[in-house]
Amino acid sequence: MDTKKDNRDRLIRIAAHLFRSRGFHATSMNDISREMGIRKSSIYHYIKSKDDLLFDISRITTEMLIPGAEEAAFSDLEPEKKLRLIIRNHVKLIAENFDFFFTSLHELQSLTERKQEVIDIRDRYERLVRGIIRSGIQNGAFRDIEVKVATFALLGMMNWMIRWYRADGPITYEEIADIFSEIFI
């Protein structure tokens, strides 16, 4: 058992929750240490700064999207099924990692160090989605529309869940994914 890794993971989860509920700038290292049940000085055993925490949250969140997108993009499925997989995976990840996605999407502009690394991962994900949409247009499965705008529209629709989704709400994330697929496809 790796106690340092477990504590670091717990620290990142707590920070994501506090950043979502209070905001990045309004959350202090004292708030995080109090929630974690350790001294403020002990936090620095796991991270260098509050910005480091935000970077880790943003990087982890964005990296979550890549495996499912690659699996869909490089599969032999038809473009429509690939896009449905992308949508289902994206919506599921938001629902299951809400604090992470809210923080990453809402606080990206607060990231001062290594922001470009997160943007590079995000751009990689966007390219995978764009490629699926482009191939669907080329084979006639999708209407001939501007691929970049369609990609931004799809990602915006899914990411906006951070504003209204509730795990205890009347609709499941699976139902939301199906609705998004029907709207978009």
Side-chain angles (χ1 to χ4, degrees), residues 129-135 137 144-153:
V129 175
R130 206 175 282 148
I132 293 169
I133 294 172
R134 185 176 296 110
S135 72
I137 291 170
D144 187 7
I145 56 175
E146 171 54 46
V147 175
K148 188 173 184 178
V149 173
T151 302
F152 288 153

Side-chain angles (χ1 to χ4, degrees), residues 61 64-66 68-69 72 80-98 100-102 104-106 122 125-130 132-133 147-166 172-185:
T61 303
M64 283 181 200
L65 295 163
I66 299 295
E80 179 183 328
K81 289 184 179 176
K82 289 180 180 187
L83 203 55
R84 285 184 188 278
L85 280 175
I86 292 278
I87 292 169
R88 174 142 324 238
N89 185 59
H90 194 116
V91 167
K92 178 182 182 194
L93 286 170
I94 289 175
E96 293 179 347
N97 303 280
F98 195 80
F100 277 76
F101 275 85
F102 184 96
S104 181
L105 291 166
H106 193 262
R122 182 201 63 199
Y125 179 67
E126 286 177 10
R127 283 190 303 274
L128 290 165
V129 175
R130 206 175 282 148
I132 293 169
I133 294 172
V147 175
K148 188 173 184 178
V149 173
T151 302
F152 288 153
L154 176 61
L155 296 177
M157 178 174 65
M158 293 185 296
N159 289 338
W160 196 251
M161 282 178 62
I162 66 167
R163 297 294 186 189
W164 56 265
Y165 174 74
R166 298 291 170 259
T172 67
Y173 75 79
E174 293 95 345
E175 292 169 316
I176 292 168
D178 289 343
I179 292 168
F180 284 175
S181 292
E182 291 306 311
I183 290 170
F184 198 80
I185 297 173

Side-chain angles (χ1 to χ4, degrees), residues 3-77:
T3 306
K4 183 174 182 179
K5 183 184 180 325
D6 291 344
N7 285 339
R8 181 176 167 74
D9 291 347
R10 184 169 172 256
L11 171 64
I12 291 169
R13 281 192 313 276
I14 287 170
H17 176 73
L18 291 174
F19 294 165
R20 179 192 59 81
S21 59
R22 298 180 184 180
F24 175 73
H25 294 292
T27 302
S28 70
M29 293 302 272
N30 282 329
D31 295 330
I32 296 168
S33 66
R34 190 171 28 259
E35 187 74 24
M36 192 152 174
I38 62 174
R39 295 171 159 255
K40 180 181 168 185
S41 60
S42 297
I43 286 179
Y44 297 104
H45 180 67
Y46 306 104
I47 52 105
K48 294 178 187 170
S49 65
K50 192 168 84 165
D51 202 64
D52 253 10
L53 278 171
L54 183 56
F55 168 76
D56 283 344
I57 292 163
S58 299
R59 180 188 49 78
I60 289 165
T61 303
T62 311
E63 285 178 346
M64 283 181 200
L65 295 163
I66 299 295
E70 286 179 341
E71 181 181 336
F74 301 130
S75 74
D76 292 331
L77 297 172

